[in-house]
Amino acid sequence: MTTLLPEAPPDGDPPLVQDRPRVVSPGFTTGDQVFRRGTTVIGVLVLVITGAIGLFLGYQSIPTLQRYGLGFFTENQWRPENDVIGISSTLLGTLQVALLALAMAFPLALGTALFITEYAPGRLRSGLVSLIDLMAAIPSIVWGLWGFFLIQPHAKNIARWLTEYAGWVPFFHVDTDPTAALWAQTRFTSSVFIASFPVAMMILPMACAVMRGVFAQAPAGEREAALALGGTQWGAIRTVVIPFGQGGIIGGTMLALGRALGETIAVVLIISPDFDLKVRPLEVGTETVSALIAGRFGEATSAQLSALLTAGFVLFLITLVVNTVAAIFVGRSRSGSATDL
Amino acid sequence: MTVLSERPVRAPAEPTPPAREPRRDVRSRSVDEQLSVPGAAVSAFALVWVAFTYVLPWSGKVGFAFCWLLAFLVILTALTALTSPRPVVVNRLMSALVSAAALVVGLALASAVVYTLVRSAGSLRHLGFFTSDMSGVRPTDPLTRGGVLHAMVGSIIEIAIAVTITVPLGIGTAVFMSEVGGRLAKVVRTVVEAMTALPSIVAGLFIYTVLIIALGFNRSGFAAAMAISVMILPIIARGSDIALRIVPNGLREASLALGSSQWQTVWRVVLPTARPGLTTAVILGIARGVGETSPVLLTSGASTFLGFNPLTGAMNSLPLYVFSAVRSGQTLYIARGFGAASVLLLLVLVLFVIMRRLARQQATR
Amino acid sequence: MTSTLDDVFGEAAVAEVPRGGSDLEALDVSAWFGSAKVLDRVSLRMEPATVTALIGPSGCGKSTFLRILNRMHETNPVAALAGEVLLDGDDIYSPTLRITSVRQRIGMVFQKPNPFPTLSIEDNVTAGLKLTGRRVSRSEKADLVEECLRRGGLWNEVKDRLGDLGGALSGGQQQRLCIARSLAVRPDVLLMDEPCSALDPTSTRRIEETIHELRDQVTIVIVTHNMQQAARVSQRCAFFLAEQGTPGVIVEAGDTAQVFGSPVDPRTSDYVNGRFG
């Protein structure tokens, strides 16, 4: 039996049978609705909690800015007894420690990542990856002990040597005579330079893991092309692996920077607080935001507590920006979304 | 001209003629290459030794090691340049540099672990270290007295409380983000990822301000557990989210196609499949929570006696114990601090091994 | 071989275009992957100014044999081989020859085009020079790029956009870019591993024309699945076969016309007449 299509109506009239999309109900059972409502509640709860933390920190900056004004960011001394409070030197110290640590960690992380993916024999590879992950799990206080008890005695000699030969450059200058027979050892301890060592070790595994992840995905076809043209192993790395992994290199480095900015305990164990606005990493004395909070929270009045919270909020914002930039770089690279940060 | 293969056409069943076919050696290096690395190392050593002893006014092991490395690289480059074209020389140099970097990292890691263990030999030797606390023990008392029992118990209690709070919240949020989805879930995901940037000291300061100052609580194990929770909640939530997103969508669809509801799919299919990844995320959070000093520094107060009630007052934990001990300046107390640091290291190592075991389980599925 | 000091104190010259290429001969070449033998005592002579095609069904070791010819086989950690490969009489596996020089003299074009995507078209062409450490002045570079792109059959299409990225070209253009890139290092032999299998018919035709034009300048060895292509481009032909469970061997080799027209071995006849494969 043939079925005839309904006749088309004359032009201008609406069609006889409308074909609107049907509303399909998702068909959730009661159990499903409970499940969905329940997880939504949890999600919202976590959103509220974490959001509230961020908002609270931001909110605390209001009384601080009201009381100290924008001078909070330009004042370098922290003398609560005179009600003179500012974080300019603290921020500068945080930046110095983080950047110097990054300068130490970056070549080591890059070299280790290349070693693991390109040079290590196959059987060792997973063992080395585990070792790097283990390094990331070592508590920061252990690195702090390492820095203070093992590294500082030797590193201060390196600092003295650097001052002796390069002290005419302000960056390397220390206010003492490095060539004296009994040189002032205490002028070279508890400095940005020494604090950078444990921080560098802490951030290195993070950067290395991200870089290693992208290097491992470098396209084998292009690598073969480089070798087939007569290139050496390094030629293939330089032409294929590193350009491919650019996003991961930058992203991993920025992620490490974010972590370095917030590192507290290793810095607290090593540095001696000093609020002078100076860029002399070899010299004794500096202060970072996290060390400031750790050191001053106990005796802080409510105004100073607000100030500490504001400083913490500023640190949080800086770290947030750095992490976001890192994620963009990794996401935009050719290795893209396959890498988890 | 036709070139036929010299062997006659043969049926597969016939045995192949027993030919001796020596495999070509393609991997070994020439004598020249084999000797140039150790040769450069030895000659660099000798050169730097002479320089340090007779010529330069420098001294010190670290300086020596650094100069040796530098001299080694220069000599190796020069040696290779005598016989090889430029790309090969560059290749050699970069291989040496990359290997040196890996070596330095390995040495740093080994030195940190070994140094901590060596310096704690004095305190770890006494069994009482693990079974007693510091009540009534002066910092200058000999190592036979005093221990870290209260710190170990404190760490365990604090992390247990933190885990009880953060694991359901974290995994629940992850389930919400990946299974329910929607615009709200995107907002939650953005905020949670943003909060992973929160420095741990700021988390501690937050709890200090809210619980201890504003609400008047005492510094206690509970407050410390709260600070730890604030720190690890985003980590666990984000790790769980990643673990759930890796579960192939095909599994969910298969379960739905069989007629199960969404929560049954999640409970019976998705969560079990993601179990190793979820456990990894939780253990990572635990390792961070146990090892970080900053959150507990501000919130828990360093007690010296063993206590089990987190609400009543100060509670010590392993990282805090180490921190107080090494800042004291007393030799014996510092030795105890190192002992506690070794215990902490061991704890983290055990957690790490468990995590690798579970991760390997996932890989073999 | 020159050393770095020779480069510094001597002359850095880019050799002239070789006439006809070199003589490449494989003698009793066997290959293993781990303990599995995949080629059994294959011998073949590939003559200058000739295109030699390696044909046969898939999985019989043609690509493996090709990769042995430029020492790419050993990039696989479980790979092993026996026998000799003589380039103008010198065994390329001899320890006295540097592997990078061997690969520079015996170039390869791969099945999937693999230009370097972060480099421009002209930098792609000269990438091989950078990799082998040969310097060219800016004027020499421009001439070299034009010459290689012409020989690769790509010049007219890209001459106005040499600065564009190599990855921005179509598949057929990318493959021709890879050919140009291989030619820039002045190889004596060019190996091509199914260069057209991933391409559309027009690009395939263009590349076959390029192969024809290159024939007088380099020895060409091409692996191809496509018998008609083999018949079109090659003068000599070798038929590979790996019967079930046995390693691959060359069943028959000779002039293309004869292998296709009047093959001696019945298995060859079956293959070229499409009865299997």
Side-chain angles (χ1 to χ4, degrees):
Chain A
M1 184 190 95
T2 47
T3 318
L4 288 175
L5 290 173
E7 275 191 23
D11 285 339
D13 291 349
L16 294 171
V17 176
Q18 306 279 32
D19 60 341
R20 262 177 318 246
R22 287 187 64 170
V23 174
V24 181
S25 92
F28 292 125
T29 65
T30 334
D32 271 354
Q33 287 182 9
V34 167
F35 163 74
R36 289 172 75 87
R37 292 272 164 76
T39 51
T40 311
V41 164
I42 294 180
V44 170
L45 185 64
V46 169
L47 175 67
V48 164
I49 294 176
T50 50
I53 296 174
L55 286 175
F56 177 83
L57 290 173
Y59 180 68
Q60 284 299 316
S61 50
I62 298 178
T64 307
L65 288 179
Q66 274 176 348
R67 182 161 177 156
Y68 300 103
L70 282 177
F72 185 69
F73 296 104
T74 54
E75 170 61 51
N76 58 304
Q77 286 303 322
W78 188 277
R79 278 198 291 262
E81 60 275 13
N82 301 4
D83 206 24
V84 171
I85 287 188
I87 58 171
S88 63
S89 58
T90 317
L91 281 177
L92 186 61
T94 308
L95 219 60
Q96 283 185 64
V97 170
L99 287 176
L100 196 55
L102 196 62
M104 283 189 220
F106 175 75
L108 291 176
L110 185 62
T112 310
L114 281 176
F115 181 80
I116 294 179
T117 52
E118 303 292 323
Y119 292 89
R123 297 156 295 152
L124 281 186
R125 205 162 286 163
S126 74
L128 290 172
V129 171
S130 298
L131 222 54
I132 292 293
D133 289 344
L134 179 64
M135 195 171 175
I138 290 190
S140 40
I141 191 152
V142 173
W143 286 117
L145 294 180
W146 174 82
F148 184 75
F149 288 100
L150 187 64
I151 294 295
Q152 179 156 263
H154 295 100
K156 64 175 193 263
N157 291 320
I158 299 180
R160 187 205 64 80
W161 184 88
L162 279 171
T163 309
E164 180 180 344
Y165 289 95
W168 48 274
V169 178
F171 186 76
F172 291 109
H173 188 71
V174 175
D175 236 341
T176 182
D177 179 13
T179 55
L182 286 174
W183 52 283
Q185 305 209 3
T186 52
R187 296 295 299 168
F188 292 93
T189 58
S190 310
S191 59
V192 167
F193 176 60
I194 313 257
S196 318
F197 280 88
V199 177
M201 288 301 126
M202 264 181 267
I203 68 179
L204 196 154
M206 197 177 298
C208 185
V210 174
M211 291 184 197
R212 192 195 54 78
V214 302
F215 290 157
Q217 294 174 45
E222 288 170 37
R223 205 194 295 239
E224 286 210 318
L227 290 178
L229 285 166
T232 55
Q233 187 180 20
W234 175 251
I237 293 176
R238 184 172 46 89
T239 316
V240 176
V241 178
I242 291 184
F244 177 81
Q246 256 172 353
I249 294 176
I250 299 179
T253 308
M254 300 222 65
L255 206 64
L257 177 64
R259 177 83 196 272
L261 289 168
E263 178 44 42
T264 313
I265 281 302
V267 176
V268 166
L269 279 180
I270 290 179
I271 63 167
S272 150
D274 185 323
F275 292 95
D276 285 339
L277 212 53
K278 59 174 180 178
V279 183
R280 294 216 211 123
L282 296 175
E283 195 171 65
V284 60
T286 183
E287 184 69 301
T288 68
V289 172
S290 37
L292 179 72
I293 296 177
R296 301 284 174 150
F297 76 98
E299 349 135 324
T301 64
S302 108
Q304 289 145 33
L305 205 55
S306 282
L308 286 177
L309 282 165
T310 311
F313 182 62
V314 170
L315 185 65
F316 171 48
L317 283 181
I318 298 177
T319 311
L320 186 58
V321 167
V322 169
N323 279 9
T324 311
V325 172
I328 291 177
F329 267 101
V330 174
R332 227 176 41 168
S333 70
R334 282 177 65 197
S335 44
S337 49
T339 316
D340 298 319
L341 271 186
Chain B
M1 184 192 85
T2 310
V3 172
L4 275 177
S5 74
E6 288 165 348
R7 299 179 302 280
V9 176
R10 58 174 191 272
E14 224 174 86
T16 53
R20 281 189 54 235
E21 296 186 83
R23 311 247 176 139
R24 297 309 297 270
D25 181 12
V26 290
R27 308 216 189 273
S28 75
R29 294 175 283 186
S30 67
V31 174
D32 168 64
E33 287 176 5
Q34 276 177 348
L35 286 182
S36 44
V37 168
V42 169
S43 53
F45 186 87
L47 188 68
V48 175
W49 186 81
V50 167
F52 266 52
T53 316
Y54 297 112
V55 177
L56 294 168
W58 303 342
S59 58
K61 288 184 285 223
V62 175
F64 187 87
F66 187 70
C67 291
W68 181 21
L69 181 68
L70 220 59
F72 167 70
L73 291 172
V74 168
I75 293 180
L76 185 67
T77 310
L79 268 182
T80 322
L82 284 176
T83 55
S84 314
R86 207 174 84 98
V88 178
V89 175
V90 171
N91 188 42
R92 253 296 164 72
L93 183 61
M94 294 314 296
S95 307
L97 275 175
V98 164
S99 310
L103 192 65
V104 166
V105 171
L107 276 176
L109 176 60
S111 69
V113 173
V114 167
Y115 184 72
T116 309
L117 290 176
V118 161
R119 276 200 70 158
S120 53
S123 50
L124 288 183
R125 213 179 328 164
H126 306 284
L127 208 54
F129 191 70
F130 301 96
T131 54
S132 48
D133 59 27
M134 290 293 283
S135 50
V137 177
R138 290 185 301 265
T140 47
D141 279 347
L143 290 174
T144 45
R145 299 198 61 204
V148 292
L149 181 65
H150 60 305
M152 289 196 290
V153 167
S155 274
I156 292 176
I157 292 181
E158 283 167 9
I159 195 71
I161 297 177
V163 162
T164 325
I165 299 175
T166 52
V167 167
L169 280 183
I171 297 187
T173 309
V175 169
F176 167 66
M177 290 194 287
S178 83
E179 305 301 319
V180 176
R183 253 181 330 183
L184 184 60
K186 282 211 183 71
V187 172
V188 174
R189 184 172 279 147
T190 314
V191 172
V192 164
E193 285 198 7
M195 290 310 288
T196 58
L198 188 72
S200 50
I201 187 82
V202 180
L205 188 63
F206 171 75
I207 292 292
Y208 176 76
T209 311
V210 169
L211 274 187
I212 295 171
I213 300 292
L215 293 181
F217 275 63
N218 283 329
R219 301 206 359 209
S220 63
F222 176 72
M226 288 297 108
I228 295 177
S229 307
V230 166
M231 181 180 77
I232 67 178
L233 178 59
I235 297 176
I236 292 184
R238 204 235 231 136
S240 308
D241 183 35
I242 291 177
L244 288 176
R245 280 198 291 187
I246 288 184
V247 173
N249 236 358
L251 285 178
R252 295 183 181 88
E253 291 183 346
S255 171
L256 290 173
L258 287 168
S260 59
S261 66
Q262 191 186 20
W263 81 266
Q264 283 171 333
T265 304
V266 169
W267 186 251
R268 300 232 175 88
V269 176
V270 177
L271 283 179
T273 313
R275 193 161 47 92
L278 290 173
T279 327
T280 305
V282 170
I283 291 188
L284 262 176
I286 293 179
R288 270 310 284 282
V290 141
E292 280 287 327
T293 322
S294 326
V296 299
L297 179 65
L298 274 56
T299 51
S300 75
S303 75
T304 52
F305 48 88
L306 181 61
F308 288 96
N309 190 339
L311 290 167
T312 51
M315 177 174 271
N316 215 331
S317 51
L318 281 170
L320 190 57
Y321 184 94
V322 177
F323 184 66
S324 329
V326 301
R327 297 257 284 186
S328 68
Q330 314 269 4
T331 329
L332 289 173
Y333 204 7
I334 292 178
R336 290 199 189 89
F338 270 98
S342 294
V343 173
L344 189 59
L345 256 182
L346 205 66
L347 181 60
V348 166
L349 182 66
V350 165
L351 285 171
F352 183 75
V353 166
I354 296 178
M355 193 173 73
R356 296 293 304 179
R357 217 27 86 71
L358 287 169
R360 216 173 294 146
Q361 248 183 38
Q362 176 168 38
T364 55
R365 271 158 160 253
Chain C
M1 288 292 115
T2 58
S3 74
T4 309
L5 295 181
D6 285 343
D7 282 345
V8 169
F9 296 111
E11 297 164 354
V14 180
E16 295 185 359
V17 180
R19 289 279 155 245
S22 291
D23 199 274
L24 188 63
E25 182 167 8
L27 292 177
D28 284 335
V29 167
S30 301
W32 293 263
F33 281 113
S35 55
K37 194 171 190 188
V38 294
L39 281 177
D40 185 27
R41 279 163 301 162
V42 169
S43 297
L44 186 65
R45 182 122 185 277
M46 293 148 280
E47 290 168 3
T50 310
V51 178
T52 307
L54 310 181
I55 61 173
S58 41
C60 50
K62 309 189 294 293
S63 290
T64 308
F65 178 71
L66 200 74
R67 289 169 64 91
I68 287 178
L69 295 179
N70 73 340
R71 297 196 67 166
M72 289 296 285
H73 176 68
E74 64 211 54
T75 59
N76 187 317
V78 298
L81 78 147
E84 294 178 316
V85 177
L86 303 181
L87 179 67
D88 287 336
D90 300 317
D91 181 15
I92 64 173
Y93 283 93
S94 143
T96 55
L97 279 190
R98 204 181 294 284
I99 191 173
T100 48
S101 329
V102 166
R103 292 192 185 137
Q104 174 261 313
R105 291 184 65 190
I106 304 177
M108 181 174 256
V109 174
F110 295 83
Q111 184 172 357
K112 184 166 174 294
N114 48 25
F116 300 125
T118 55
L119 296 180
S120 67
I121 293 177
E122 58 180 347
D123 286 337
N124 255 286
V125 174
T126 54
L129 292 175
K130 257 185 83 181
L131 283 166
T132 50
R134 291 194 275 193
R135 293 157 292 152
V136 274
S137 66
R138 191 161 298 186
S139 59
E140 280 179 338
K141 174 177 173 174
D143 291 336
L144 183 68
V145 167
E146 177 176 345
E147 176 212 319
C148 292
L149 286 173
R150 278 193 195 283
R151 287 167 77 199
L154 190 62
W155 175 250
N156 284 326
E157 289 164 57
V158 299
K159 61 185 175 199
D160 298 322
R161 49 182 182 126
L162 292 175
D164 281 4
L165 289 182
L169 300 172
S170 75
Q173 290 172 326
Q174 284 186 7
Q175 193 65 300
R176 280 176 277 151
L177 177 60
C178 292
I179 295 176
R181 178 181 65 185
S182 301
L183 293 174
V185 295
R186 307 284 187 226
D188 300 319
V189 181
L190 190 59
L191 308 174
M192 308 179 96
D193 190 356
E194 302 196 41
C196 304
S197 66
L199 306 178
D200 60 276
T202 316
S203 308
T204 303
R205 191 177 49 79
R206 199 67 197 80
I207 289 183
E208 288 179 9
E209 286 168 12
T210 305
I211 295 176
H212 184 76
E213 286 157 22
L214 288 175
R215 177 161 60 103
D216 291 329
Q217 301 159 26
V218 272
T219 309
I220 297 184
V221 184
I222 176 169
V223 166
T224 178
H225 251 117
N226 185 330
M227 282 186 292
Q228 292 78 19
Q229 181 175 74
R232 284 192 295 266
V233 302
S234 65
Q235 294 79 51
R236 308 267 302 157
C237 208
F239 172 54
F240 279 71
L241 189 63
E243 278 152 357
Q244 200 170 31
T246 63
V249 295
I250 291 185
V251 170
E252 184 171 343
D255 289 341
T256 305
Q258 182 266 316
V259 169
F260 277 81
S262 45
V264 174
D265 194 294
R267 291 170 294 179
T268 319
S269 162
D270 284 344
Y271 182 74
V272 300
N273 288 312
R275 277 177 229 128
F276 73 94

